[in-house]
Amino acid sequence: MKSYSIFSLLRNALSYHQNWQAAWRSPEPKPAYDVIIVGGGGHGLATAYYLAKEHGITNVAVLEKGWLGGGNTGRNTTIVRSNYLWDESARLYEHSLKLWEGLSQDLNFNVMFSQRGVLNLAHNLHDLRELQRRVSAIRLNGIDSEILNVEQVKEMVPILNCSPDSRYPVLGASLQRRGGVARHDAVAWGFARAADARGIDIIQNCEVTGIRRDGDRVLGVETTRGFMAAPKVACVTAGHSSVLAAMAGLRLPIESHPLQALVSEPIKPILHTVVMSAAVHVYVSQSDKGELVLGAGIDAYTSYAQRGSLSVIEEIMASTVTLFPIFSRLKMMRSWGGIVDVCPDASPIIGKTPIRGLYFNCGWGTGGFKATPGSGHVFAHTIARDEPHPLNAPYALDRFANGSLIDEHGAAAVAH
Ligand code: FAD
Ligand code: PYC
């Protein structure tokens, strides 16, 4: 990584940052590519990077209607973990977590992955038994996970209200020590820079408005910058996946909902791990700048607006203050929403479609940030070989027809 001295930082500041080298090119679109990836979020960029790195396919364009990471990738609360219940999920998310563990080195870009641990709180006997069952299943898959009693939780998070008289008494928690957080926009930038260096064209402000097909074969995409031909088109458009599918005449089993998050004013380091509560629908961590990063459950209605309703924010705040009374006078600085694409079984769709050359990677709902490198890695394999990687074979679209659902509704502290 290029190192900047204090003098070069000063020089750049005084020259209004005009001499900074762009981290990736802004090429003119070519009339044809081998692969077109629609969506410049983390998953789309990771797919492009692994297509080039693992499969030597570099005549690839990533088309993004806005700016890189402007979708859910730059809007999430950055929690990374692999503590999933079912074997299929455990394998996929653990594959991703292993890639996270070497990602900064691989991309030569600091994605600030911090394995500070993720706690999931139990507030009643049922929660505790459910967490115990999950921890056993997770460990059977060789993934680190443990149960803490209330004293151990208190020791780890002294500011948590563990009083038995609390509205949400804490009976214990599960802990994944290898879980944590990463800097979300750095993930998009790191993949973009590394993909660009391998020859991928990243084209921002380029909206896909149509998918051209000849019978059951894809021909390319119509865009706001003209038609681009490609024998393979891969849609990685999160909250807009149903819109893209409709362009090709397909219907996906997906609902798009708003999901909100917010950050507080910065305070001194006080919370050294990630705390999630499924019962309360709150998850909290502290950023390296000192802000608390908080998130909620989804808004119940469907929408393509990147904002949610005030009542959900009020609920998060009320629950947060109940769990952490010490935060009651903290000011919130910003709130925002993203559009999450939710499948009926709360698991993603990664694979081929009935249209030859058309692939979809979507349905990550409230939990796809953690999957970014793993998802890109297996999706690149699927596109390059036109057959699924063993890890994403169970996530095919036809599971909704044959009933092989992977029910992960309980996987996150996020109602969906
Ligand atoms: P995106 O980053 O949304 O990228 C899709 C891109 O497609 C967008 O940039 C969009 O502009 C582009 N696009 C759409 N339509 C078109 C078109 N027609 N033409 C061209 N481009 C198009 N996950 C976790 O694992 N941990 C968390 O803590 C977590 N917290 C979350 C909190 C919030 C508030 C939200 C909203 C989500 C959270 N998630 C979390 C989920 C996670 O953010 C997503 O699953 C993940 O980022 C999806 O990445 P992506 O690259 O598929 O989508
Ligand atoms: O999947 O870990 C998760 C998550 C946390 C917040 C939103 N999603």
Side-chain angles (χ1 to χ4, degrees):
M1 193 179 293
K2 204 164 182 176
S3 68
Y4 289 96
S5 70
I6 184 78
F7 297 110
S8 85
L9 279 174
L10 204 58
R11 202 170 46 243
N12 278 307
L14 292 175
S15 66
Y16 299 97
H17 301 283
Q18 287 186 8
N19 302 321
W20 282 41
Q21 231 184 316
W24 53 85
R25 297 162 299 129
S26 271
E28 280 304 306
K30 293 194 269 188
Y33 288 94
D34 292 337
V35 180
I36 288 177
I37 294 172
V38 189
H43 289 232
L45 292 164
T47 304
Y49 171 68
Y50 291 116
L51 269 175
K53 181 181 177 219
E54 305 284 335
H55 306 280
I57 300 174
T58 55
N59 186 23
V60 176
V62 178
L63 308 182
E64 166 53 49
K65 73 173 176 181
W67 66 96
L68 299 189
N72 291 344
T73 296
R75 292 168 186 268
N76 61 65
T77 46
T78 81
I79 299 170
V80 174
R81 57 192 175 81
S82 65
N83 51 357
Y84 277 71
L85 179 65
W86 298 107
D87 296 350
E88 296 87 342
S89 326
R91 288 187 205 115
L92 181 62
Y93 290 98
E94 180 61 10
H95 177 58
S96 198
L97 184 50
K98 291 216 168 91
L99 288 171
W100 276 109
E101 289 174 332
L103 197 60
S104 293
Q105 287 78 6
D106 186 29
L107 299 179
N108 192 20
F109 196 95
N110 189 357
V111 298
M112 297 171 69
F113 181 45
S114 158
Q115 292 180 290
R116 60 185 66 177
V118 175
L119 278 177
N120 284 78
L121 301 179
H123 299 289
N124 55 48
L125 204 52
H126 171 79
D127 282 358
L128 198 55
R129 287 190 179 136
E130 170 65 13
L131 286 181
Q132 277 162 342
R133 171 177 177 241
R134 281 177 178 274
V135 164
S136 302
I138 292 161
R139 288 167 72 114
L140 281 172
N141 274 311
I143 297 170
D144 70 301
S145 190
E146 59 198 272
I147 288 284
L148 301 190
N149 62 31
V150 63
E151 285 75 29
Q152 291 168 310
V153 174
K154 183 87 192 154
E155 196 177 325
M156 212 166 162
V157 191
I159 58 172
L160 185 65
N161 180 6
C162 291
S163 157
D165 302 326
S166 160
R167 181 171 169 209
Y168 303 111
V170 177
L171 270 61
S174 69
L175 169 66
Q176 183 174 29
R177 292 186 192 270
R178 287 167 59 241
V181 287
R183 169 84 191 265
H184 50 192
D185 37 19
V187 175
W189 301 334
F191 273 119
R193 196 182 74 141
D196 172 86
R198 288 175 185 266
I200 307 284
D201 282 359
I202 296 171
I203 302 164
Q204 300 181 73
N205 297 312
C206 179
E207 180 169 358
V208 170
T209 52
I211 295 179
R212 201 184 284 181
R213 46 186 276 202
D214 176 16
D216 73 344
R217 198 163 57 86
V218 78
L219 296 179
V221 292
E222 316 284 352
T223 81
T224 46
R225 297 184 66 180
F227 175 73
M228 294 176 215
K232 294 185 177 185
V233 172
C235 297
V236 202
T237 46
H240 288 87
S241 300
S242 316
V243 178
L244 268 291
M247 291 178 193
L250 289 178
R251 198 151 173 244
L252 295 177
I254 279 196
E255 283 188 356
S256 295
H257 288 265
L259 177 66
Q260 300 188 75
L262 60 164
V263 290
S264 74
E265 60 187 326
I267 51 174
K268 288 190 175 166
I270 193 162
L271 184 61
H272 308 294
T273 188
V274 181
V275 179
M276 308 179 74
S277 165
V280 177
H281 297 314
V282 156
Y283 33 100
V284 193
S285 64
Q286 188 169 20
S287 77
D288 296 330
K289 277 195 280 182
E291 301 156 334
L292 289 183
V293 182
L294 303 147
I298 58 172
D299 279 60
Y301 52 86
T302 53
S303 169
Y304 289 118
Q306 284 173 315
R307 60 174 181 274
S309 46
L310 185 63
S311 60
V312 174
I313 297 274
E314 282 177 336
E315 278 162 27
I316 317 179
M317 296 317 306
S319 319
T320 304
V321 170
T322 310
L323 290 179
F324 298 96
I326 191 175
F327 295 151
S328 62
R329 286 165 58 201
L330 204 58
K331 292 188 178 62
M332 292 299 134
M333 303 266 283
R334 298 189 305 281
S335 73
W336 64 88
I339 310 158
V340 296
D341 48 343
V342 182
C343 282
D345 60 354
S347 284
I349 297 166
I350 319 167
K352 298 166 69 166
T353 68
I355 299 166
R356 276 189 292 151
L358 183 65
Y359 308 83
F360 266 85
N361 182 340
C362 58
W364 292 94
T366 63
F369 177 66
K370 67 178 79 63
T372 305
S375 154
H377 192 260
V378 299
F379 197 41
H381 175 111
T382 306
I383 298 163
R385 306 212 180 166
D386 198 33
E387 63 181 32
H389 186 285
L391 291 180
N392 68 292
Y395 293 92
L397 189 52
D398 65 8
R399 76 175 186 276
F400 298 99
N402 66 30
S404 321
L405 302 184
I406 306 165
D407 185 347
E408 286 292 359
H409 277 99
V414 193
H416 65 277

